[in-house]
Each structure stands twice: as structure tokens, then as C-alpha cells.
Amino acid sequence: PEEHIDAEGFILESNEIEVYREFEGAIIVNDLNLTVNGTLDLSIHFLDHDGDEIEHEDETEHEEGEDDELSFEIVDNSIISIEMEEHTDEEDDEHHELGFELTGLSVGTTTFTLSLMHDGHADYTSLPISVTVE
């Protein structure tokens, strides 16, 4: 059977500090601020119906080539850029975190959405996430 992540929200963490939380259609925390040329390494943790983290482990193995991946849509890509983190074989295969790097390009505020893609469709799509670059 195909495995899908049944997420009700997610947390973005930078250095293990929560900077964004979205749960059941509401933005609970949004502290995404950075400077021009500044970067944030963000890890994403999806939440279940109880608000607990969904473990993204090998127990949700997919057929070859069907890994979950993130997709981003930035409203104004002159203000921020997003780059996926590369995973190496040296990383712990049992628990790989989904992560990305957010970079401030110019002063302003914009939004982006992220989608957890699986086999050509989105299992989860976020609300617009606001980012301020100073």
C-alpha cells in the first residue's frame, strides 16, 4: 500500500529553535526574520492530528524513486531564495530530516508556500508563510 503523510500542520526549526508553527489551518508561531545575505537553515517537522511530530523514517518506505520531497512557491523571489539541503549517504538513514536553506536577498516582506510532494501530488500544502528581510 502507498504510504502518505497525513499531516495536520508542521514546525520549522532553526538550530532546534521553533521559528514557525502551523496547525489545523492556523499559524501559531511566525518568527521568520533575517537580514540581507543572511541565511536560516530550517528543518521541517510535520505534525499529526494530536500535534505530535510524525516520524519520517524508513517505516514509510516508498518504491524506488518515490521519496517525499518539498516543493516551494515564493511570491517575490527578489526578496528571498530557498534551496533544498542535500542529503549524503553518510547521514543517518534511519531518520533523515527534510530541510532547506532560506536566504535574504533584499529588504522587504514576502510569502512562500511549501508542499510535501509524493508521487506527483501534494500530500500537504502550507498556508502562505511570511518572511521579513531587514
Side-chain angles (χ1 to χ4, degrees):
E2 283 194 41
E3 293 287 336
H4 294 273
I5 293 182
D6 188 18
E8 288 296 319
F10 66 95
I11 297 170
L12 293 177
E13 289 183 348
S14 176
N15 295 321
E16 298 184 16
I17 297 170
E18 182 177 312
V19 293
Y20 183 90
R21 178 185 293 252
E22 178 177 310
F23 185 64
E24 294 184 335
I27 297 170
I28 310 300
V29 173
N30 188 357
D31 190 22
L32 283 173
N33 301 297
L34 62 160
T35 58
V36 174
N37 296 324
T39 61
L40 285 175
D41 286 320
L42 298 168
S43 60
I44 184 167
H45 307 274
F46 286 95
L47 304 174
D48 65 15
H49 297 283
D50 297 321
D52 298 322
E53 183 177 347
I54 298 170
E55 292 299 324
H56 191 75
E57 297 183 15
D58 284 341
E59 66 191 40
T60 59
E61 284 180 15
H62 304 298
E63 291 182 26
E64 193 70 28
E66 283 194 8
D67 287 341
D68 291 330
E69 60 183 40
L70 296 177
S71 172
F72 300 92
E73 188 170 318
I74 302 170
V75 171
D76 186 343
N77 57 14
S78 70
I79 295 176
I80 61 169
S81 71
I82 295 175
E83 186 174 326
M84 288 296 300
E85 286 183 357
E86 296 295 322
H87 291 287
T88 64
D89 291 336
E90 297 170 10
E91 290 186 48
D92 184 4
D93 287 335
E94 287 184 21
H95 186 84
H96 76 272
E97 291 183 340
L98 291 171
F100 61 96
E101 184 178 84
L102 182 66
T103 302
L105 302 176
S106 64
V107 173
T109 299
T110 190
T111 61
F112 71 92
T113 55
L114 68 83
S115 298
L116 178 65
M117 303 300 291
H118 172 77
D119 198 23
H121 67 274
D123 278 356
Y124 183 88
T125 300
S126 74
L127 295 170
I129 301 166
S130 179
V131 180
T132 300
V133 179
E134 299 173 345

